[in-house]
């Protein structure tokens, strides 16, 4: 195994592209090192990205924030403005692992690990976040929603890696929330999860909604119909019921010891409802 | 495998070591530097027995490569006492019997110190969440939480 500290984007992309064996990108290492230690993956090349310019920075951009790919959960959680603008994204990311893991774990890593139960991903997709990707062809931008393709697989091509994630600007009356179900209070993998991002007008009517569910399909899933059910409403019971129905209809979970199909489907709906109500209140909506 | 020559600061002293690319910081501390306070419980980030701070942040040293530590400041349990004077956390853990076999204790002490630096007056709940990644298979957590509270109160009063 070779370990290389990337010196610039171009050499990193060239190294990854030229490696005939297995390569891994290292930022926080909380997945890569576990794979290495458990011998689940034996990489030939590890490229450490966290020392590259901008990788550890959180930078305001057009009213939103660009979050470098090596920014840790602890660093994002300490950033007051990001927490105020996208509380649901931050709370999802902060649910991952222990204090120790939070010191190193990154959103880009959580995304590229490709787990349908990844806690930071529903919030990013609800936020309509965009990943900036560098590769042999240079930079491109890609919606976060289009990156996971199946458990453990992403749409990134060989030699490509994420350099930052843009959490966009949002109107004044807007907020988001993320909830997951686990059988205990900490340190577990979501059995099901939901993130909801809402925009409201002056009288509290929802003008835009994105509802995203996790751990109930091969990838984290944006449920268009569920968002549409909330738009034009003040999240009255009928609108919520319609949204829950759309969420349940979109679920296609696996059945395993952590949760049955029925349980996962039911809880995804309940979590989406609760997250929607929290987001509504955070956005200044009154019920 | 190409060996790395790494320069760091450990507990305030310059430290240099050689390691292979796949060697973890935990292995380096224990096997190359003789700092055996950090323990390997799981090797996969679950138990916290290997906790150290890296540039001021609490991490599992089993999830850090030795090569990544170039230029870093590392604090381990070995740097916690001031000579023969134990840190209040260490002393209270002994006084209040907040340990049995002691395998988890170095990690818990390092983690608790990093909590108290950030939050000198935590609630029980905050301590429990902060230490959720530090597993103890003997003591039961109550004595540990109480010991952290007592040490925190003592540290606030000086
Ligand atoms: S040995 Fe590092 S967390 Fe268990
Ligand atoms: S005292 Fe034995 S594991 Fe904690």
């Amino acid at each position: 195994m070779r370990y290389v500290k990337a010196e610039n984007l171009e050499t990193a992309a060239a190294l990854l592209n030229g490696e005939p064996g297995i390569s891994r990108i290292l930022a926080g290492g909380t997945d890569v090192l576990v794979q290495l230690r458990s011998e689940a993956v034996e990489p030939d090349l590890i490229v450490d990205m966290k020392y590259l310019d901008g990788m550890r920075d959180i930078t305001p951009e057009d009213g939103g924030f660009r979050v470098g790919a090596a920014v840790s959960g602890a660093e994002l959680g300490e950033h007051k403005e990001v927490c105020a603008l996208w509380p649901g994204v931050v709370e999802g990311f902060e649910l991952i692992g222990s204090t120790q893991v939070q010191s190193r774990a990154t959103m880009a890593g959580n995304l590229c690990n490709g787990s349908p139960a990844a806690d930071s991903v529903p919030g990013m997709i609800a936020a309509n976040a965009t990943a900036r990707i560098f590769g042999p062809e240079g930079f491109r931008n890609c919606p976060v929603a289009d990156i996971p393709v199946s458990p453990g697989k992403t749409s990134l091509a060989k030699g490509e890696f994420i350099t930052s994630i843009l959490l966009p600007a949002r109107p004044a009356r807007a907020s988001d929330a993320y909830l997951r179900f686990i059988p205990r209070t900490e340190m577990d993998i979501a059995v099901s999860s939901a993130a909801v991002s809402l925009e409201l007008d002056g009288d509290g009517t929802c003008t835009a909604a994105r509802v995203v569910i996790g751990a109930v399909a091969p990838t984290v899933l944006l449920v268009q119909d569920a968002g549409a059910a909330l738009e034009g409403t003040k999240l009255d019971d009928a609108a919520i019921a319609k949204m829950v129905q759309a969420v349940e209809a979109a679920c296609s979970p696996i059945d395993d010891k952590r949760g049955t199909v029925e349980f996962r489907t039911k809880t995804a709906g309940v979590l989406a409802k609760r997250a929607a109500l929290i987001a509504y209140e955070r956005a200044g909506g009154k019920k | 495998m190409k060996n790395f020559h790494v320069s760091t600061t450990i507990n305030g002293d310059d430290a240099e070591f050689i390691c292979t690319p796949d060697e973890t910081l935990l292995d380096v501390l224990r096997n190359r530097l003789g700092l055996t306070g950090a323990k390997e419980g799981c090797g996969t980030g679950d138990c916290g027995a290997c906790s150290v701070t890296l540039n001021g942040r609490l991490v599992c040293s089993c999830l850090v490569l030795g090569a990544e530590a170039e230029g870093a400041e590392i604090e381990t349990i070995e740097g916690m006492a001031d000579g023969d004077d134990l840190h209040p956390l260490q002393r209270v853990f002994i006084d209040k019997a907040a340990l049995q076999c002691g395998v988890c204790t170095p990690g818990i002490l390092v983690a608790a110190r990093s909590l108290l630096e950030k939050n000198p007056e935590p609630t029980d709940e905050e301590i429990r969440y902060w230490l959720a990644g530090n597993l103890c298979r003997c003591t039961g957590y109550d004595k540990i939480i109480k010991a952290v509270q007592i040490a925190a109160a003592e540290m606030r009063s000086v």
Side-chain angles (χ1 to χ4, degrees):
Chain A
M1 185 188 106
R2 282 189 302 153
Y3 165 89
V4 183
K5 252 179 212 173
E7 278 166 19
N8 55 54
L9 296 170
E10 290 74 16
T11 51
L15 265 170
L16 291 166
N17 202 32
E19 172 59 53
I22 300 171
S23 53
R24 281 288 180 273
I25 292 158
L26 182 65
T30 50
D31 287 312
V32 172
L33 271 278
V34 175
Q35 293 171 357
L36 198 74
R37 297 292 302 230
S38 60
E39 288 167 14
V41 178
E42 292 183 40
D44 301 290
L45 172 69
I46 286 190
V47 183
D48 194 342
M49 299 290 184
K50 65 179 154 298
Y51 305 99
L52 292 175
D53 279 353
M55 282 282 185
R56 314 208 63 171
D57 298 340
I58 301 172
T59 329
E61 184 173 318
D62 300 333
F65 289 95
R66 182 165 293 285
V67 181
V71 170
S72 69
E75 287 161 343
L76 197 74
E78 286 164 10
H79 197 288
K80 297 225 161 44
E81 291 90 345
V82 175
C83 293
L85 193 67
W86 289 104
V89 174
V90 177
E91 76 193 343
F93 188 13
E94 286 191 315
L95 281 175
I96 299 168
S98 59
T99 316
Q100 286 85 339
V101 166
Q102 280 289 313
S103 296
R104 302 246 302 159
T106 68
M107 288 201 291
N110 195 224
L111 176 61
C112 292
N113 193 44
S115 166
D119 282 309
S120 73
V121 177
M124 282 194 276
I125 295 178
N128 211 358
T130 307
R132 177 163 292 171
I133 296 166
F134 190 83
E137 312 288 321
F139 278 111
R140 69 183 176 97
N141 290 316
C142 174
V144 166
D146 295 341
I147 290 182
V149 292
S150 62
K153 294 258 177 317
T154 71
S155 58
L156 296 190
K158 191 169 171 63
E160 287 192 320
F161 53 90
I162 295 178
T163 59
S164 64
I165 289 168
L166 180 68
L167 299 173
R170 64 196 318 189
R173 301 197 68 180
S175 200
D176 59 330
Y178 173 78
L179 292 172
R180 68 172 179 186
F181 177 82
I182 56 173
R184 46 197 225 177
T185 50
E186 251 301 67
M187 301 279 289
D188 208 347
I189 301 167
V191 176
S192 62
S193 67
V196 178
S197 174
L198 301 175
E199 293 176 12
L200 311 182
D201 67 11
D203 79 343
T205 303
C206 172
T207 53
R210 287 169 68 87
V211 177
V212 181
I213 49 180
V216 286
T219 64
V220 172
L221 213 59
L222 171 68
V223 189
Q224 307 268 12
D225 296 353
L230 299 178
E231 288 170 2
T233 80
K234 292 186 176 176
L235 272 62
D236 54 86
D237 293 350
I240 293 277
K242 210 169 145 202
M243 186 271 291
V244 169
Q245 239 174 29
V247 164
E248 289 181 353
C251 292
S252 56
I254 53 166
D255 219 340
D256 69 3
K257 64 177 190 295
R258 302 177 51 249
T260 60
V261 168
E262 293 75 15
F263 184 81
R264 289 188 142 107
T265 306
K266 174 86 182 165
T267 49
V270 172
L271 294 170
K273 169 184 166 169
R274 291 180 188 167
L277 294 174
I278 295 170
Y280 189 73
E281 203 184 309
R282 284 181 181 165
K286 297 246 164 6
K287 298 210 61 109
Chain B
M1 276 199 252
K2 181 170 158 270
N3 277 341
F4 282 83
H5 179 237
V6 180
S7 306
T8 58
T9 308
I10 300 181
N11 301 324
D13 296 329
D14 291 344
E16 309 215 348
F17 57 83
I18 305 281
C19 70
T20 60
D22 61 354
E23 209 168 326
T24 65
L25 177 60
L26 176 63
D27 288 340
V28 168
L29 291 172
R30 292 183 56 83
N31 304 338
R32 297 199 185 256
L33 300 173
L35 297 171
T36 53
K39 303 286 185 269
E40 179 170 281
C42 62
T44 49
D46 298 296
C47 75
C50 63
S51 297
V52 302
T53 62
L54 181 71
N55 296 324
R57 297 262 182 209
L58 183 68
V59 300
C60 294
S61 60
C62 72
L63 294 188
V64 178
L65 291 175
E68 282 183 81
E70 172 65 38
E73 285 184 17
I74 298 159
E75 299 273 340
T76 71
I77 186 67
E78 284 85 354
M80 199 157 170
D82 181 7
D84 286 341
D85 289 336
L86 293 181
H87 186 281
L89 278 161
Q90 293 175 305
R91 187 164 29 73
V92 175
F93 265 62
I94 296 170
D95 288 350
K96 299 294 169 193
L99 70 157
Q100 287 184 22
C101 78
V103 166
C104 69
T105 313
I108 290 188
L109 288 170
V110 169
R113 180 179 60 179
S114 107
L115 168 65
L116 298 183
E117 278 166 7
K118 207 175 137 96
N119 179 359
E121 199 167 355
T123 62
D124 283 5
E125 191 178 1
E126 284 168 336
I127 299 174
R128 283 181 191 273
Y129 272 101
W130 186 272
L131 295 180
N134 289 87
L135 304 184
C136 173
R137 65 180 293 275
C138 321
T139 312
Y141 295 95
D142 277 335
K143 285 187 169 180
I144 293 171
I145 308 302
K146 284 201 185 95
V148 175
Q149 286 291 26
I150 293 167
E154 186 183 315
M155 287 162 68
R156 286 196 301 274
S157 69
V158 290

